[in-house]
């Protein structure tokens, strides 16, 4: 099975931290990849002004998308300006209709910052509205009669906003693409350099690896992994078949029961 997958992150580098391994595996399996961050990264600097920072981070995100072989889609909002509002929803719903993905990868509903959780909410409703002719989108596009499966990534830090660990329902072995995931994240040079100066050399990359290793330990099988939970299919498509399960070889997946103490 092949198809189209749309990764929707809040900021440049969010896809790389929590979703890129699975995205790269899907690309290797022949899937068409699409890359979108809703915000432009404008607050991600202590040195440059917002406009300069947004330009730098756009270039980095475009390089990361190109590295993955993904189609890059332009951001819409400034950092901390991602709201669950009509205009942003109509824009994102239009893009979902344009791409007509079989799979959407996005943030989970419980994360440490509102840009992430609002991106999740927008992605869910945009997917839900993809086939509704009476929901106006901007720019206008016809509705799409195509099932979509939406998967939530683990939150950054692997904990919800109140500090409780969040366990995945599905763990994907990303060990074979871990070096590529690291390279992809490393293309966000402005963020790496900023954190190298403030937190130590390669802390940016190491933190990503540490999270992937922790998810791997949760699986009990894999050195490095990414965790996912599928959104309830109501309004999106049939529960079975599961596109992610079909797309990746069984050896790349481990069904996971949340360990004790995980939500």
């Amino acid at each position: 099975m092949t198809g189209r997958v749309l990764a929707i992150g809040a900021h440049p580098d969010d896809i790389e931290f929590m979703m890129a391994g699975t995205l790269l595996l899907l690309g290797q399996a022949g899937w068409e990849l699409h890359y979108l961050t809703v915000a432009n990264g404008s607050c991600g600097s202590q040195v440059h002004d917002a406009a300069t920072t947004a330009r730098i981070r756009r270039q980095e995100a475009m390089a990361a998308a190109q590295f993955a072989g993904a189609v890059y889609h332009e951001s819409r909002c400034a950092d901390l300006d991602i709201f669950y509002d009509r205009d942003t929803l109509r824009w994102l719903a239009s893009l979902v209709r344009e791409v007509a993905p079989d799979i959407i990868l996005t943030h989970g509903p419980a994360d440490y910052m509102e840009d992430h959780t609002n991106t999740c909410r927008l992605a869910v409703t945009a997917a839900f509205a993809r086939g509704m002719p009476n929901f106006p989108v901007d720019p206008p596009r016809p509705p799409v009669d195509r099932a979509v499966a939406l998967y939530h990534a683990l939150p950054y830090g692997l904990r919800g906003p109140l500090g409780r660990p969040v366990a995945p329902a599905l763990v994907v072995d990303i060990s074979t693409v871990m070096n590529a995931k690291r390279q992809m994240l490393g293309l966000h040079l402005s963020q790496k350099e900023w954190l190298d100066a403030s937190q130590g050399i390669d802390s940016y990359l190491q933190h990503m690896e540490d999270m992937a290793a922790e998810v791997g330990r949760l699986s009990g099988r894999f050195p490095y992994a990414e965790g996912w939970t599928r959104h309830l299919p109501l309004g999106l498509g049939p529960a079975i078949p599961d596109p992610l399960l079909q797309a990746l070889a069984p050896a790349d997946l481990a069904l996971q029961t949340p360990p004790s103490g995980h939500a």
Side-chain angles (χ1 to χ4, degrees), residues 105-215:
L105 306 176
T106 193
H107 295 288
D111 212 320
Y112 80 107
M113 69 174 301
E114 294 302 305
D115 273 2
H116 290 195
T117 54
N118 284 338
T119 294
C120 168
R121 294 180 65 203
L122 289 162
V124 169
T125 307
F128 194 83
R130 74 200 181 287
M132 294 178 172
N134 291 339
F135 182 75
V137 300
D138 184 22
R141 287 192 173 94
V144 174
D145 183 17
R146 188 186 188 104
V148 61
L150 189 146
Y151 298 86
H152 298 291
L154 288 172
Y156 184 86
L158 310 182
R159 283 166 170 75
L162 302 182
R164 293 186 63 193
V166 176
L170 183 69
V171 172
V172 175
D173 180 11
I174 63 167
S175 304
T176 61
V177 293
M178 191 63 203
N179 287 337
K181 178 178 164 85
R182 182 184 173 98
Q183 288 178 263
M184 193 172 167
L185 179 61
L187 291 170
H188 295 268
L189 291 172
S190 66
Q191 302 308 290
K192 181 182 182 301
E193 291 168 357
W194 176 24
L195 293 176
D196 281 353
S198 62
Q199 298 183 23
I201 299 298
D202 281 347
S203 63
Y204 183 67
L205 302 176
Q206 188 60 50
H207 186 47
M208 178 273 291
E209 286 196 17
D210 290 345
M211 287 191 291
E214 177 60 25
V215 181

Side-chain angles (χ1 to χ4, degrees), residues 12 31 45 56-57 66 145 236 257 260:
W31 282 61
S45 176
I56 292 170
R57 299 199 70 189
Q66 183 177 21
D145 183 17
L236 302 179
T257 300
S260 177

